[in-house]
Amino acid sequence: MKQVRKAIIPAAGLGTRFLPATKAMPKEMLPIIDKPTIQYIVEEAVEAGIEDIIIVTGKGKRAIEDHFDHAFELENNLAEKGKLKLLEAVQRSSKVDIHYIRQKEPKGLGHAVWCARRFIGDEPFAVLLGDDIVQAEVPCLKQLIHQYESTGGSIIGVQPVADSETQRYGIIDPIAKEGRLYQVRTFVEKPPAGQAPSNLAIMGRYILNPEIFRFLDLQEEGAGGEIQLTDAIRRLNEIQNVYAYHFQGVRYDVGEKLGFILTTLDFAMQNSELRTQLLEEMEKMVRKQSQAIG
Ligand code: UTP
C-alpha cells in the first residue's frame, strides 16, 4: 500500500460570509489570536507526517505565499532584539515544503481538489479544509491516516451535528459500524431539512484514493451549482469502499462569524497570558448587557 505523503489545502473560496474582510485577503488568513487559520491546518498536516502540501489559491494568493515564505528582515530584526520566542514562531511557518496552484474560478470544492490532480499523480492523498480547526491529542489527520493504513480505502472524517444543522453539511448514510469506523451506503451533500440519512457530518478532513479524479474529471455540477467533492466521493464509493471515521477531538468551525468568534474566545481561554484578563472583561460585558436588558 502506498503511503499518504501529500496534502491539498483548498483556499480559493470567495469567503463571502466574511466580506468585506475577505475582499483583498483570503479568509484562511484570518487569525485566531495571533496565527492565521491556515497555519493551524498546515501544522496539523506536518504533525501527521505529510511531506508535501499544495495550497489551492484564488485571490489574495500573495498573502498566503508571503506568510509561508522566509521573512529575512523581520527575522533579523527579532534576532537582533533577542525576541527568540517570536523568532521561533515566525520561522515555524516557513519550514514546510509548500506548493501553490491557482483555481481560476471558484467552481466548488471538488473543482479546487481537481486543480491539484497533476501534483498528486497516482497516490493516496489528504485534503484539509481551512474552515475547520481540530484540536486533538492525536492530530485528526493522523487518526485518518491510521485508518487508511488498516483498510486501504478512502477515509472521510465525520462528527455528529445537531439535527437542525445537517442541511449545512455533507452527510453520510451509514451501514455498519466497527468502533468509530463506518461502512457507508452513500454520501449526500447538504440534504434538505428533515431528509438527512444520519447526523454524521463531513468535517473537512479526508484521505482519498487517486481514483477520485475519474469522477472529478467529469466536472459535474451538484448542490448550489458547484462541483462538489461529496458527489465524487459518492461515485467512488460505488466502485471501492469509502469509509467514514468519527475522529476524536474538538472541531472548531471558523468559516462563519459566530464559530470564528467562539473559536477565538476558546483559544484565548487556553492561553495563560490572556485567560484571567479576558474572563474579567467578559464578566464586565455580561453585567453591562444584563443591566441594559433590564
Ligand atoms: P466554503 O464554501 O466554506 O468556502 O468552502 P467559501 O466558498 O469561501 O465560503 P463562503 O460561503 O463564500 O463564505 C470550504 C473550503 O473550500 C475552499 C474554501 O476556500 C474553503 O477553505 N474552496 C471552496 C475552494 O478552494 N474553491 C471553491 O471553489 C470553493
Side-chain angles (χ1 to χ4, degrees):
M1 186 192 305
K2 285 185 182 161
Q3 241 188 309
V4 182
R5 299 181 307 121
K6 295 178 181 172
I8 302 174
I9 303 181
L14 291 176
T16 45
R17 282 167 288 180
F18 283 94
L19 281 169
T22 46
K23 220 176 134 197
M25 181 179 65
K27 73 170 170 189
E28 293 77 8
M29 283 299 291
L30 295 174
I32 302 296
I33 316 286
D34 51 10
K35 216 194 274 186
T37 307
I38 195 163
Q39 192 177 332
Y40 290 94
I41 313 296
V42 165
E43 287 178 6
E44 181 187 326
V46 172
E47 281 169 33
I50 294 295
E51 294 164 14
D52 275 299
I53 293 174
I54 189 160
I55 300 181
V56 183
T57 60
K59 64 191 163 57
K61 172 188 161 91
R62 200 180 303 150
I64 297 182
E65 284 195 18
D66 285 349
H67 179 73
F68 289 108
D69 205 352
H70 286 288
F72 292 110
E73 265 178 48
L74 175 63
E75 288 173 29
N76 283 343
N77 185 292
L78 293 173
E80 273 167 23
K81 291 184 178 152
K83 296 185 172 172
L84 301 182
K85 242 175 127 181
L86 277 178
L87 179 63
E88 199 267 329
V90 166
Q91 285 174 335
R92 196 163 349 126
S93 59
S94 57
K95 272 191 183 141
V96 259
D97 215 354
I98 300 184
H99 312 261
Y100 300 90
I101 189 144
R102 194 119 176 160
Q103 183 188 21
K104 294 199 182 86
E105 245 184 280
K107 290 186 184 172
L109 178 59
H111 183 259
V113 170
W114 177 82
C115 288
R117 66 200 178 285
R118 294 205 179 88
F119 169 83
I120 298 299
D122 191 27
E123 43 183 297
F125 62 99
V127 177
L128 301 97
L129 298 195
D131 280 26
D132 295 303
I133 294 179
V134 183
Q135 276 190 334
E137 226 165 88
V138 177
C140 175
L141 194 66
K142 202 170 190 171
Q143 297 177 41
L144 301 195
I145 290 176
H146 281 156
Q147 297 303 316
Y148 176 79
E149 286 167 351
S150 63
T151 62
S154 299
I155 310 284
I156 314 300
V158 296
Q159 279 203 334
V161 295
D163 291 341
S164 57
E165 294 275 285
T166 48
Q167 76 239 43
R168 290 181 49 218
Y169 294 91
I171 300 289
I172 68 162
D173 182 0
I175 311 171
K177 182 179 181 214
E178 210 186 305
R180 303 176 80 93
L181 188 72
Y182 292 85
Q183 271 183 27
V184 182
R185 185 174 298 112
T186 192
F187 297 80
V188 195
E189 182 61 30
K190 299 190 176 72
Q195 291 181 31
S198 77
N199 66 344
L200 289 167
I202 300 176
M203 290 299 181
R205 296 292 184 275
Y206 312 75
I207 305 295
L208 296 170
N209 272 321
E211 289 79 21
I212 190 85
F213 289 116
R214 276 198 228 162
F215 304 106
L216 291 175
D217 279 342
L218 303 174
Q219 308 261 312
E220 283 172 357
E221 287 178 9
E226 295 192 346
I227 298 170
Q228 298 286 357
L229 183 59
T230 307
D231 293 339
I233 291 171
R234 184 179 59 244
R235 305 280 292 269
L236 181 65
N237 191 37
E238 288 163 9
I239 61 163
Q240 55 177 244
N241 275 339
V242 175
Y243 301 91
Y245 184 69
H246 176 183
F247 59 82
Q248 275 166 321
V250 182
R251 171 253 179 187
Y252 295 90
D253 180 3
V254 292
E256 51 97 24
K257 279 180 206 153
L258 184 62
F260 183 82
I261 294 165
L262 293 176
T263 308
T264 303
L265 284 176
D266 208 7
F267 276 50
M269 293 289 186
Q270 296 174 37
N271 182 316
S272 56
E273 282 171 27
L274 298 172
R275 190 172 186 278
T276 312
Q277 215 181 337
L278 177 64
L279 276 171
E280 281 169 18
E281 293 299 328
M282 280 172 63
E283 271 170 22
K284 277 191 223 161
M285 275 186 229
V286 171
R287 260 201 308 274
K288 199 169 136 197
Q289 286 303 320
S290 319
Q291 280 162 4
I293 294 166

